[in-house]
Amino acid sequence: LERDKYENNEVAGVVTGLAWTSVGGDILFIESILSKGKGSLNITGNLGKVMKESATIAMEYIKANADKWGIQPDIFEKYNVHIHVPEGATPKDGPSAGITMLTSLVSLFTQKRVKKSLAMTGEITLRGKVLPVGGIKEKILAAKRARIKEIILCEDNRKDIEEIKQEYLKGLTFHYVTEMSEVIDIAVTDQNVKNPKKL
Amino acid sequence: LERDKYENNEVAGVVTGLAWTSVGGDILFIESILSKGKGSLNITGNLGKVMKESATIAMEYIKANADKWGIQPDIFEKYNVHIHVPEGATPKDGPSAGITMLTSLVSLFTQKRVKKSLAMTGEITLRGKVLPVGGIKEKILAAKRARIKEIILCEDNRKDIEEIKQEYLKGLTFHYVTEMSEVIDIAVTDQNVKNPKKL
Amino acid sequence: LERDKYENNEVAGVVTGLAWTSVGGDILFIESILSKGKGSLNITGNLGKVMKESATIAMEYIKANADKWGIQPDIFEKYNVHIHVPEGATPKDGPSAGITMLTSLVSLFTQKRVKKSLAMTGEITLRGKVLPVGGIKEKILAAKRARIKEIILCEDNRKDIEEIKQEYLKGLTFHYVTEMSEVIDIAVTDQNVKNPKKL
Amino acid sequence: LERDKYENNEVAGVVTGLAWTSVGGDILFIESILSKGKGSLNITGNLGKVMKESATIAMEYIKANADKWGIQPDIFEKYNVHIHVPEGATPKDGPSAGITMLTSLVSLFTQKRVKKSLAMTGEITLRGKVLPVGGIKEKILAAKRARIKEIILCEDNRKDIEEIKQEYLKGLTFHYVTEMSEVIDIAVTDQNVKNPKKL
Amino acid sequence: LERDKYENNEVAGVVTGLAWTSVGGDILFIESILSKGKGSLNITGNLGKVMKESATIAMEYIKANADKWGIQPDIFEKYNVHIHVPEGATPKDGPSAGITMLTSLVSLFTQKRVKKSLAMTGEITLRGKVLPVGGIKEKILAAKRARIKEIILCEDNRKDIEEIKQEYLKGLTFHYVTEMSEVIDIAVTDQNVKNPKKL
Amino acid sequence: LERDKYENNEVAGVVTGLAWTSVGGDILFIESILSKGKGSLNITGNLGKVMKESATIAMEYIKANADKWGIQPDIFEKYNVHIHVPEGATPKDGPSAGITMLTSLVSLFTQKRVKKSLAMTGEITLRGKVLPVGGIKEKILAAKRARIKEIILCEDNRKDIEEIKQEYLKGLTFHYVTEMSEVIDIAVTDQNVKNPKKL
Ligand SMILES: [Ca+2]
Ligand SMILES: [Ca+2]
Ligand SMILES: [Ca+2]
Ligand SMILES: [Ca+2]
Ligand SMILES: [Ca+2]
Ligand SMILES: [Ca+2]
Ligand SMILES: [Ca+2]
Ligand SMILES: [Ca+2]
Ligand SMILES: [Ca+2]
Ligand SMILES: [Ca+2]
Ligand SMILES: [Ca+2]
Ligand SMILES: [Ca+2]
């Protein structure tokens, strides 16, 4: 099935991640939506324990640092959040979708567009650091196949990129980060999504 | 047991799906009902984790986009929803009942009839896209056996239909979609069900 | 142990089902009681997941269609329901007790007697249809041993009866149904049980 | 360890059951206590699923038939019940402690003494019937070793007693019952326990 | 690791138990603390199901008999209790810590010191009896190594002590009990702990 | 991946622990954050049961001894706490992160900086004692690689240090403790973190 290509950025909460599955590198989408509720967090997509934990960490980090992005803290109590990773037939796990989930939620809570043609991979922490992840080469190849133009990685993954032949990297721009706030600075634009929700 | 044939569309929430089980293609019914309550979602039918997740995704998507179909948001808090997939003896899993569940719930919340002699298969997402699924050939054959006339599929499954011999497709009309809202446009009619509930 | 014979119908909620276990056909009783509470549903009897789901489906169907049988909807919030299938030493599963559980609960909520010397087997759905089940021949023989006189089956199980030798069917009356409401029409009488509860 | 002998009947809720374990017949005690609370039911003693279900069935049966024994229904909401089966090192399961648990709870809620030197074994149902159980011979021998004088059994277990040599039965009186209310009539006396709780 | 020796009795809720692990006899500490809350019971220490049940039994027994030790019943609703058994790397199970947990909780709720240089082992019941346990010889040797001076055992374990050579018992005093209240009489002193909490 | 080196101490709740994994000694970070809530405790990081229990023990100990560190007890009811141990791809278990979690939470609730270049390992208890742990040599080597300068250990682990060659210990200062309060005295400074939260 050839269904993984970059889509547009009209919808809040949709972010492109890079994954390393049993069949090689792949892109995946992180999606999130809000519905009126009491602050529950729903996570789907045939995810393992560690990937579900990433969603919790992203959520708690945003709650604890809401003012960084101008998010009203009472939003967290008035809405339920649902995070989904499509392609339910494929089991997914590991911490590398952390920064993608973080970006998805910040886009959701701010109703701002995510930068176009951007993908990312990196583990998140509660102290605000981005950690390096594995499978970089396979992920980069998948990103190219999907027409991705820019990629966010942990600074500690720079050496993995430097080991890849130059010709495979043509047309790709890399952003190396150490802080989670840098991810948001790069990934979340100032433009509203189409039909933004009033939160 | 020969119990799978298309039935009528008098009851809200009953939609015909196409499934691919260990014994080949089959049709299945998605059923849903409302009872007074506090918004809980009950899912039965001997379903695996991924198929249960589809029900959650459909529900959350509808909650977040209720105005698209004129659904009053307070309904979600005043009723419990129960989604069931009959034939409890057969374990069922996978994401391909997504659009069928979505259609079932929109029919339920609007009390509108589902189009006659229609079946469907496709994965749903939170961003509103329909994703392609597998087992298309077997599903089409099952649909014909059950006297289905129209079928909704993901645009990306068009090529799977094109690979099937023309004679097997006689009498079938195909609707290829990319958006979940297209599914509803095609599948949910403007006619009330028999004895519609006042919600 | 020879303990399976038809009993009387003095108690609300007691209905005779036909089961197909690892040791052949058998009858089983579905029992249910009400106690003051907040609407919880308790299910016991060493049951597997699918049989427990049948109890949930029966309960939700009755809630959604309470007016069909003159049941006051506030009953569901003021009482807890406990459904039990005796003979705890035997694990039980499968969907075929569905119509028996349905009948048990309608008898319970209306405090009406179940028809005498009646047994039944059939899967239930949320859309009100009865589905056929397996093991019909073994179940019929068990019913005769237990002095059952009338049996409710799905219309689609008629052919299974027609394959059984006439001599085995002597003394048995069959009711073939397609709708769940037909089951209740046949099985639940207009007579109060002994010492009916005022609900 | 030789610790199984009949004790006195001073404490409410303590009843002697007959069990059939991997090492042969044995007696066991069912104990229960009340503490102020909101009606929760706590079950301990290294019990399997079916034995825990017996406790639930006993509790629900008593709630639904509280007036039979003059139990004020508001007690169930004002106290938590804890049922325990001592000798935690031994896993226990099966439905045969049903009438023992029933007796324990009726003694507890009425604060009446259980008859002296009495033991019992039998499955309970929600419709008020006692069902026969297995291992009768081994259980009777264990009862004699523990100086039990009277035994309650299901009427359908009478034949198991009749197959035992007369000499083994000397000094034992048998009560054969079919109704759960008969168990209580025989087992629960009109005498208060020592220091009865005011409920 | 040589870390098991008797400590002082300054802190409420700390009691020395005797355990029989895969590597022989050992002492263990039962610890408990109160924090403001709503009556929840938290149990940690890498414990198996039966040992966790002992904590529940001890707690419920104390709730039901609070007046025996002058404990105000409203304490149970205003505090959360946490019981811990240190040395998390070692899995622990079985009923023999029952009287140790009981003593820990009575000391905690009364803020009284536990007797010095005392250890104990015995199963508890809801009817107030102490039951015998196994591994007595190994436990006694471990108690001596840890400088324990007095030991509480079930009366039915007296014979296990009588089978041990006299020379191993030198310097040890034994208390044989049949009632749980005797354990508390012996183990909990009238002296406040250091910095007692006002409950 | 070479990502384990000591970081700064600007953020509350970030503490360096010493771990012993299947691939040898390692440092790990314990992180914790507060978000407005009702006192729930969230624990992530691909942790096993015993390591999760350590987090609970630390939390309950701090609740019961809040005044020791000037923590207002109402904080516990007004905030949710999330403890995370990064590097989700690595399963982690065991009790040795106890004192690290304790330090993390005290830093979090006081918003004070943790001492620079400090790491620690030790089991915690509810009675306030620190217990020794294993793998000391491997942990020390990992600490040196990560540029740690000071290490807190249980007094009972002193002998493990004395068995290590002097040259491996150069540049390291050891603090041996027996009480959990000593850990806090050493590890938590009087300096506010950067941008302290007003609790
Ligand atoms: Ca893919
Ligand atoms: Ca930006
Ligand atoms: Ca089928
Ligand atoms: Ca339409
Ligand atoms: Ca039977
Ligand atoms: Ca009728
Ligand atoms: Ca025994
Ligand atoms: Ca009586
Ligand atoms: Ca030890
Ligand atoms: Ca005393
Ligand atoms: Ca590491
Ligand atoms: Ca300090």
Side-chain angles (χ1 to χ4, degrees), chain B residues 1 3-4 26-28 87 90:
Chain B
L1 295 171
R3 53 181 160 179
D4 297 325
D26 200 0
I27 72 165
L28 53 73
E87 303 195 29
T90 309

Coordinates of all heavy atoms in Angstrom, one line a residue, chain B residues 1 3-4 26-28 87 90, ligand 3:
Chain B
L1 N -23.3 -21.5 7.8 CA -24.5 -20.7 8.0 C -24.6 -19.6 7.0 O -23.6 -18.8 6.8 CB -24.3 -20.0 9.4 CG -24.4 -21.0 10.6 CD1 -24.0 -20.2 11.9 CD2 -25.7 -21.6 10.7
R3 N -26.1 -16.5 6.6 CA -27.0 -15.5 7.2 C -26.7 -14.1 6.7 O -27.3 -13.1 7.2 CB -27.0 -15.5 8.7 CG -25.7 -15.5 9.3 CD -25.9 -15.6 10.8 NE -24.6 -16.0 11.4 CZ -24.5 -16.2 12.7 NH1 -25.4 -16.0 13.5 NH2 -23.3 -16.5 13.2
D4 N -25.8 -13.9 5.8 CA -25.4 -12.6 5.5 C -26.0 -12.1 4.2 O -25.5 -12.4 3.1 CB -23.8 -12.5 5.3 CG -23.2 -12.9 6.6 OD1 -23.7 -12.5 7.7 OD2 -22.1 -13.5 6.6
D26 N -16.5 -11.3 3.6 CA -17.8 -11.5 4.3 C -18.4 -10.1 4.4 O -17.7 -9.1 4.3 CB -17.6 -12.1 5.6 CG -18.9 -12.7 6.2 OD1 -19.9 -12.7 5.5 OD2 -18.9 -13.3 7.3
I27 N -19.7 -10.0 4.6 CA -20.3 -8.7 5.0 C -20.5 -8.8 6.5 O -20.7 -9.9 7.0 CB -21.6 -8.3 4.2 CG1 -22.8 -9.2 4.7 CG2 -21.4 -8.4 2.7 CD1 -24.1 -8.6 4.2
L28 N -20.5 -7.7 7.1 CA -20.9 -7.6 8.5 C -21.8 -6.4 8.7 O -21.7 -5.4 7.9 CB -19.7 -7.6 9.4 CG -18.6 -6.6 9.2 CD1 -19.0 -5.2 9.7 CD2 -17.4 -7.0 10.1
E87 N -22.6 -11.6 15.2 CA -21.9 -12.8 15.0 C -20.8 -12.9 16.0 O -19.6 -12.9 15.7 CB -21.4 -13.0 13.6 CG -22.6 -12.9 12.6 CD -22.2 -13.3 11.2 OE1 -21.4 -14.2 11.1 OE2 -22.9 -12.8 10.3
T90 N -17.5 -15.1 16.0 CA -16.3 -14.8 15.1 C -15.5 -13.7 15.7 O -16.0 -12.6 15.8 CB -16.8 -14.4 13.7 OG1 -17.7 -15.4 13.2 CG2 -15.6 -14.3 12.7
Ligands
CA3 CA -20.9 -13.9 8.4

